[in-house]
Amino acid sequence: MRATLIMWGLCALVLTTGCASKPEPVEEKSATGYRHTFDFMWKNTTEELDRRWDIESSDRETRTIVAKWRERFHPMSHFGERKRLTITITGDDVEGYRVTAKEEAESNTEQVQPMTPEEADWDPKATDGGLARLFLTELGRRLDPDERWRDLDKR
């Protein structure tokens, strides 16, 4: 009986530690392809990201823009978190362009000085991708604005 209990305990331990993997960033893709030039896409995507985020790096060759980490320290909420977006443009002038927004999130695990940015110890955490979806929604409104209001003049 004791051996069975020990065996079940070891199995539970192996399963819980074996399943604890690093959470993957959430990647959201634009639902539509945009029929614009790459220069237009690059300019507008960069401007839209720059409206709400500080840009850490941008590379036209790889078509990638990375935002700086947005950090929030809070001693009562798991000591703080940080998030960032990585934007990638794919496609060409013939087929159109699609935009992918990848959201990454990390938790601060520093317990001695959780409010000190220099002492922060960041571990990846799961995210729902809400900031990535919000960015793509706002970019879509910018690239393909709703012009139904123009039809009101024709009535």
Side-chain angles (χ1 to χ4, degrees), residues 112-127:
V112 178
Q113 293 181 320
M115 299 298 288
T116 309
E118 296 80 26
E119 298 294 323
D121 185 23
W122 300 105
D123 285 338
K125 76 174 207 173
T127 180

Side-chain angles (χ1 to χ4, degrees), residues 69 80-83 104-108 121-125:
W69 287 103
E81 68 178 7
R82 67 182 186 174
K83 294 182 178 185
E104 298 172 87
E106 295 181 343
S107 292
N108 182 12
D121 185 23
W122 300 105
D123 285 338
K125 76 174 207 173

Side-chain angles (χ1 to χ4, degrees), residues 46-86:
T46 303
E47 287 176 359
E48 187 62 40
L49 186 63
D50 196 36
R51 280 183 56 225
R52 297 187 190 263
W53 297 80
D54 292 328
I55 295 176
E56 181 176 299
S57 66
S58 62
D59 186 357
R60 285 179 68 98
E61 300 249 342
T62 61
R63 300 177 173 192
T64 303
I65 309 165
V66 180
K68 289 183 181 177
W69 287 103
R70 185 182 290 167
E71 298 175 345
R72 294 184 339 175
F73 292 94
H74 195 283
M76 302 301 180
S77 176
H78 301 287
F79 309 117
E81 68 178 7
R82 67 182 186 174
K83 294 182 178 185
R84 77 172 173 185
L85 294 178
T86 301

